[in-house]
Amino acid sequence: QLFRDGEIDDAFFETLEEALITGDVGVGAALQLVEQLRREAGRLRTRRREAARELLVVKITALLENPPAETLPAAKPLVILLVGVNGSGKTTTAAKLAYRYRRDGRRVMLVAGDTFRAAAIDQLQVWADRAGVELIRQQPGSDPSAVFFDALNAARARSADVIIGDTAGRLHTKTNLMEELKKINRVIGRALPGAPHQVLLVIDATTGHNGINQASRFNEAVPITGLILTKLDGTARGGIVVGVQDILKIPVCYVGIGEKIDDLEPFDAAAFARALLG
Amino acid sequence: HLAEKLQKTLRYLRGKGKLSEKDVDLAMREIRLALLEADVNFKVVKDFVAAVRERAVGKEVLHSLTPGQQVVKIVHQELTALMGREQSRLLASTAPPAAVMLVGLQGSGKTTTAVKLAVHLQRGGRRALLAAADIYRPGAIRQLEVLSESVKMPFYSGANARPVEICRQALKLASREGYDYVILDTAGRLHLDEAMMDELKEIKAAVKPAEALLVVDAMTGQDAVNAAAAFHRAVGLTGVILTKLDGDTRGGAALSVRSVTGCPIKFAGVGEKVDALEPFHPERMASRILG
Ligand SMILES: Nc1nc2c(ncn2[C@@H]2O[C@H](COP(=O)(O)OP(=O)(O)OP(=O)(O)O)[C@@H](O)[C@H]2O)c(=O)[nH]1
Ligand SMILES: Nc1nc2c(ncn2[C@@H]2O[C@H](COP(=O)(O)OP(=O)(O)OP(=O)(O)O)[C@@H](O)[C@H]2O)c(=O)[nH]1
Ligand SMILES: [Mg+2]
Ligand SMILES: [Mg+2]
């Protein structure tokens, strides 16, 4: 009922701002989007709310639309690294991705790059078994860079098509942990030039403005090639990915919509934009 | 920084005696933006700003302060008052052991916090049993077991039992062994999941916990009120623990959760190690939110 058809007035724009802010788009992005919409709606002389709303959906969709798929030959093996703050859903998502690639007929391997957190390797092992893929792992407490170095060599020897690496959760404010991530990235590149081909930042859909800091700081440490928005099956609308586009053009690749192994979907910008506005 | 922003907005007011409605309107716009940027819930901000506005209009500006500083002082006081008093004690039971139930959304920090609480209790001379009631998440039981072992805390997990039964058995064991507390680590769940929310109600009815604590990630945005309200309705919370405060999130979720549940925020998780638990400081949180 936010967009029941009618005249466009200040109250209408305020309800739009509220929808965006409560969707966690971020105050800056929300105000900017509505300001742009005011001008555009004015230029187009649209007087109907429905038309203005549609304009906003189109705007947000355009912001989030993924660039066309690369026409470069796919790297072999394709190396994907999952990174992000604590509890965002990296381990579960690593398994979901592995399962997805395996269902597509690829030869997939998972790497237990979280050698720090209690039972992190056990957790990923259960998932790897469910996904039907092999997990490359070492003792808890091992140096994650060493784990990745050995894993890449092992995976190549076994002709894996896709290698998916899970890493430990880390707050972007912890310099030593961000240094560790840089080292993992360097070491992977040394083991296989060009790798990691994808570094995906896993963000919880309930995240507020901090998601912008996360994207910015993680990207400073290792170039982030894509975002994965998890827990979109909850009530949070995950608008923070819009806020992130304000400072970094990082496409959203997938969304996590549950705790089961097939609860991963490719990102649909238009559907997301529509749901965001409620 | 809010005080500076307000000072820029109100700089023409230098030397005025009282804050007029117009002065306050200008200031409230900045306050509102600051709180929204800090992730305080939209509706909570609206109510808060209205309350502060009321207190600020006609207020005498102290000689030692600029009008901007005067407004910030009122906001800070109001925010601190809303955060509640410092209350970082776990309620005990008249008939020990007292059960402490940890609940919350997926990944908020419950399992880690369970062990932190046990360590905290031990420092206060109380013995706690850690019970693994999350039978769903792969490796969850093992995670609690490893953490418990790392601090030599007693640990209980049921063999092939449902969570309600695990909690009942844990309580029985704790009673036999003379523990003061049983800390129940439950599975992360969505408040939308009726079956899982029913499970929490069942556990609560079975163990009659002295504490039902909502564990909330401090980076949570606008959605904090939805989850908090739902968990409170389902379980009847007695307190909140805010985790991952060692990051750079402003933590406005604290104000949102507090206003919608009325529960005290008892502790702050400030790191991944099992000793990274602090009493929640309302005044410090108020400053952090204001930026
Ligand atoms: N509802 C829902 N829960 C999810 C989703 N993705 C992950 N989870 C849950 O979120 C919790 C945390 O997931 P993990 O995969 O352990 O997160 P993580 O980022 O690896 O955590 P750390 O390694 O500790 O930093 C688990 O309970 C998962 O089941 C999702 O898309 N929807
Ligand atoms: N930096 C930091 N990390 C924390 C804190 N509390 C928990 N964590 C981390 O957050 C992640 C999730 O913690 P868990 O204890 O597994 O969360 P949970 O609520 O039990 O997760 P589910 O059982 O899947 O719902 C882990 O990587 C923890 O180490 C904290 O206060 N600070
Ligand atoms: Mg993990
Ligand atoms: Mg847990």
Side-chain angles (χ1 to χ4, degrees), chain A residues 18 21-22 24 27 86 117 123 127 171-174 206 208-210 213-214 231 233 235-236 259, chain B residues 33 36-37 39 42 106 137-138 142-143 190-192 219-223 226 244 246-249 272:
Chain A
E18 178 171 354
I21 291 173
T22 56
D24 285 314
V27 175
N86 307 73
R117 209 209 66 212
Q123 181 187 9
W127 278 120
L171 293 185
H172 48 284
T173 47
K174 311 225 159 153
T206 64
H209 286 77
N210 198 251
N213 297 23
Q214 291 173 25
K231 310 177 198 173
D233 45 318
T235 50
E259 302 190 73
Chain B
L33 288 178
L36 287 174
E37 281 170 358
D39 291 320
F42 193 90
Q106 290 89 346
R137 170 174 150 157
R142 183 75 190 130
Q143 182 187 6
L190 295 178
H191 47 290
L192 290 179
M219 303 180 256
T220 311
Q222 295 287 314
D223 193 56
N226 300 329
K244 308 176 202 173
D246 44 320
D248 59 359
T249 181
E272 293 196 68

Side-chain angles (χ1 to χ4, degrees), chain A residues 85-92 114 117 120-121 123-124 166-169, chain B residues 137:
Chain A
V85 300
N86 307 73
S88 61
K90 299 173 292 299
T91 303
T92 312
D114 180 355
R117 209 209 66 212
I121 299 174
Q123 181 187 9
L124 191 54
D166 183 22
T167 64
Chain B
R137 170 174 150 157

